[in-house]
């Protein structure tokens, strides 16, 4: 009857240990989750740009020029460039440079000259070569975290993994 209600030191140590373990696990996995979100966000930004360039080619968008043209995207490590014409010209002042954000980079492409070019009217990829149709994005802080986009001859992204 002299017993007092309360926690023993052993129970208190066990509870504190469990809380510390759970906190450590969540802190360790947080950067990977942020990296995964960043790379998915970069893919979500790139895909509409591909669609827009293809639609400009199909619709015959002139952007104020005298005739319609092909439209494409050139990939560099830290950016991609929206362009028009039969080939990428880095000096063309009408190019639109889109920087890639959140420590994500274009790790590699198998595209010829790192370009994807959509043909005027058809919207198909000019000089498409099967097997030379991927773009790989990578987290610079965790180089094992990548996303590969595979694009078919019609400009459709057939796979993201």
């Amino acid at each position: 009857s002299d017993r007092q209600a309360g926690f023993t030191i052993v129970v208190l140590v066990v509870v504190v240990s469990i809380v510390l373990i759970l906190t450590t696990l969540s802190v360790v996995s947080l950067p990977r989750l942020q990296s995964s979100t960043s790379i998915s966000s970069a893919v979500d930004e790139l895909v509409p740009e591909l669609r827009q360039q293809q639609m400009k080619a199909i619709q015959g968008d002139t952007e104020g020029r005298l005739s319609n043209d092909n439209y494409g995207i050139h990939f560099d490590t830290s950016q991609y460039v929206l362009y028009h014409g039969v080939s990428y010209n880095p000096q063309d002042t009408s190019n639109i440079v889109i920087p890639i954000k959140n420590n994500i980079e274009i790790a590699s492409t198998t595209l010829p000259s790192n370009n994807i070019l959509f043909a005027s009217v058809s919207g198909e990829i000019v000089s498409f070569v099967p097997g030379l149709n991927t773009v790989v994005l990578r987290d610079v802080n965790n180089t094992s975290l990548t996303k590969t986009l595979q694009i078919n001859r019609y400009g459709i992204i057939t796979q993201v993994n």
Side-chain angles (χ1 to χ4, degrees):
S1 62
D2 285 342
R3 245 184 123 130
Q4 295 181 354
F7 297 109
T8 66
I9 191 76
V10 173
V11 171
L12 192 57
V13 167
V14 168
V15 169
V16 168
S17 297
I18 290 172
V19 168
L20 285 173
I21 289 169
L22 291 175
T23 302
T24 302
L25 290 174
S26 66
V27 168
V28 167
S29 65
L30 185 60
R32 180 153 178 89
L33 178 62
Q34 288 173 330
S35 293
S36 178
T37 301
S38 293
I39 203 162
S40 294
S41 175
V43 169
D44 290 345
E45 290 176 18
L46 176 58
V47 170
E49 298 288 5
L50 282 164
R51 289 295 131 258
Q52 181 183 21
Q53 290 298 89
Q54 184 179 35
M55 289 309 299
K56 285 180 179 181
I58 291 170
Q59 294 171 349
D61 192 343
T62 63
E63 294 183 335
R65 293 181 306 279
L66 295 177
S67 62
N68 58 350
D69 217 339
N70 298 338
Y71 284 84
I73 299 181
H74 173 78
F75 296 95
D76 288 323
T77 304
S78 62
Q79 65 188 19
Y80 52 93
V81 181
L82 310 179
Y83 70 95
H84 68 88
V86 295
S87 64
Y88 172 63
N89 175 1
Q91 269 63 50
D92 190 332
T93 58
S94 66
N95 290 345
I96 300 172
V97 177
I98 311 287
I100 302 172
K101 304 172 201 156
N102 301 324
N103 295 318
I104 304 300
E105 67 181 359
I106 303 292
S108 65
T109 77
T110 58
L111 301 167
S113 301
N114 295 329
N115 295 318
I116 184 167
L117 183 64
F118 298 104
S120 179
V121 181
S122 74
E124 291 184 23
I125 295 176
V126 174
S127 303
F128 179 82
V129 179
L132 299 179
N133 58 337
T134 60
V135 177
V136 180
L137 285 85
R138 174 176 60 200
D139 187 302
V140 296
N141 297 323
N142 181 358
T143 56
S144 66
L145 187 57
T146 64
K147 289 273 187 188
T148 302
L149 286 76
Q150 185 173 19
I151 306 159
N152 72 12
R153 79 167 41 262
Y154 303 107
I156 297 170
I157 297 172
T158 57
Q159 193 172 10
V160 177
N161 54 4

